[in-house]
Amino acid sequence: MNFGIVVFPGSNCDYDVYWGLKNDLGYPVRFLWHRQRDLEGCDVIVLPGGFAHGDYLRAGAIARFSPIMEAVVEHARQGRPVIGICNGFQVLTEIGLLPGALLRNESLRFAHGPVYLRVENVQTPFTSGYQPGQVIQVPIAHGQGRYYAPPEVLAGLEDEQRVLFRYCDASGRISPEANPNGSLHHIAGLVSANGRVMGMMPHPERRMNSRLGGSDGLALFQSLAQAA
Amino acid sequence: MMARIHISPKPDILDPQGKAVNSALHDLGYREVSEVRVGRYITLEIQPQPGQDSRARLEEMCRRLLANINVETYTIEIHEG
């Protein structure tokens, strides 16, 4: 079981993921440069956070045409896991592996700091290590994280229980105050219809070691490693 | 030829940037402004190849890359010469 981290020019959370997977969890992990066309046999593909291609035009708009993305789409089509974190989530919506779009935060501010998330569905390869309704704390760091999808798409996501994480307060309560960016339905993370592609704005890779503020992100990568 | 492309957030999409500009204009005394939407303006210099349908290709460029048609609309103006 190998994790592969795609590195775009402008990725800046690639080493965070690498460090956590390698040192905190002891999993085999490698970097995959965006110009290459094969995934070197990696089982789980991570699209990390950052500002791929400078976020020029729109976040993720240029990265989705990087040569490696064809292989990532094929990997997902085969039902193998792909996770996009922050900028990686934006790339996944731009390429159409996940529905909707991530727009400028309602506050217009860059939103950063720890937030609470409620785990909404644990029957997925990304969340099987959590308890239903568990509240976890992970940080966010984004200017464009306001999840938007048209009403019929949102209804479908809810019906199919594809919202995996929702912004909440420390007690798990959903409220506008606990929503850091104005995301519709307080969505922080969601999964594809086939359950194998997940995108989330918060950064689980920054919570993989209690010495670095917490370890609530570990279960996500452990779930993935078990599923892969 | 030259193409000018205007990209705007769709009408039903909340545009916080437009709201902020709107309130700044109000602060400057321009009370007649009732709504602002902020988009992007892109110019392209084009040398069409024989047999190419420039408008169709520009439409394709907008749909594939320049605009996110889930949340944005676009208009294309072509200026010959």
Side-chain angles (χ1 to χ4, degrees):
Chain A
M1 199 287 308
N2 280 292
F3 283 86
I5 302 167
V6 175
V7 182
F8 298 100
S11 293
N12 66 12
C13 300
D14 41 352
Y15 273 87
D16 302 55
V17 181
Y18 185 90
W19 182 271
L21 289 173
K22 189 180 168 78
N23 297 309
D24 295 316
L25 286 168
Y27 295 145
V29 53
R30 66 176 70 184
F31 291 121
L32 304 169
W33 181 235
H34 80 116
R35 300 293 308 175
Q36 65 187 70
R37 291 180 182 276
D38 81 285
L39 303 178
E40 298 180 10
C42 289
D43 302 289
V44 180
I45 300 302
V46 184
L47 305 186
F51 299 85
H53 300 274
D55 273 0
Y56 295 143
L57 200 60
R58 294 179 309 278
I62 296 175
R64 65 152 289 193
F65 290 107
S66 278
I68 200 168
M69 290 308 295
E70 260 180 56
V72 172
V73 169
E74 178 56 21
H75 187 85
R77 205 190 55 77
Q78 291 171 4
R80 307 179 72 198
V82 177
I83 174 172
I85 300 166
C86 198
N87 195 220
F89 186 9
Q90 295 163 338
V91 175
L92 291 173
T93 59
E94 279 285 337
I95 203 167
L97 284 175
L98 292 173
L102 293 144
L103 305 178
R104 197 178 290 269
N105 296 346
E106 191 170 356
S107 65
L108 287 179
R109 295 200 180 122
F110 187 87
H112 59 96
V115 296
Y116 294 101
L117 305 178
R118 196 171 72 193
V119 185
E120 301 288 84
N121 175 357
V122 298
Q123 311 285 325
T124 79
F126 305 92
T127 52
S128 61
Y130 295 107
Q131 300 300 313
Q134 186 178 340
V135 176
I136 63 172
Q137 194 196 47
V138 288
I140 54 167
H142 59 249
Q144 296 172 56
R146 173 168 51 107
Y147 185 73
Y148 169 85
E152 64 280 10
V153 173
L154 286 170
L157 292 174
E158 298 291 357
D159 284 350
E160 295 164 20
Q161 293 189 286
R162 287 168 53 192
V163 178
L164 301 192
F165 299 105
R166 248 185 265 271
Y167 299 110
C168 66
D169 65 18
S171 65
R173 211 169 55 86
I174 306 292
S175 70
E177 295 72 39
N179 184 338
N181 51 31
S183 284
L184 294 180
H185 290 210
H186 309 265
I187 290 171
L190 61 95
V191 73
S192 61
N194 75 352
R196 309 303 281 185
V197 180
M198 198 271 267
M200 65 190 295
M201 287 312 295
H203 289 274
E205 79 281 12
R206 296 188 191 175
R207 284 295 183 277
M208 290 176 65
N209 188 318
S210 54
R211 284 175 300 167
L212 297 176
S215 54
D216 283 351
L218 284 175
L220 190 149
F221 295 99
Q222 287 167 324
S223 306
L224 266 173
Q226 277 175 11
Chain B
M1 68 166 62
M2 188 192 198
R4 294 180 174 154
I5 295 172
H6 291 265
I7 295 162
S8 322
K10 278 187 177 173
D12 58 328
I13 301 280
L14 174 70
D15 176 18
Q17 202 177 184
K19 273 183 146 177
V21 174
N22 193 3
S23 76
L25 287 171
H26 284 188
D27 290 347
L28 291 172
Y30 300 104
R31 309 296 303 184
E32 70 272 33
V33 178
S34 60
E35 196 186 0
V36 178
R37 311 280 289 172
V38 178
R40 285 192 302 281
Y41 171 55
I42 300 173
T43 58
L44 293 86
E45 201 59 61
I46 293 173
Q47 279 85 45
Q49 304 300 305
Q52 273 183 352
D53 179 344
S54 296
R55 179 161 289 274
R57 290 176 68 82
L58 283 160
E59 287 278 345
E60 192 181 295
M61 291 179 213
C62 285
R63 285 194 308 273
R64 292 185 68 196
L65 177 65
L66 301 178
N68 179 341
I69 55 172
N70 290 318
V71 288
E72 294 170 330
T73 58
Y74 59 86
T75 57
I76 299 168
E77 286 171 40
I78 296 176
H79 299 266
E80 304 289 343

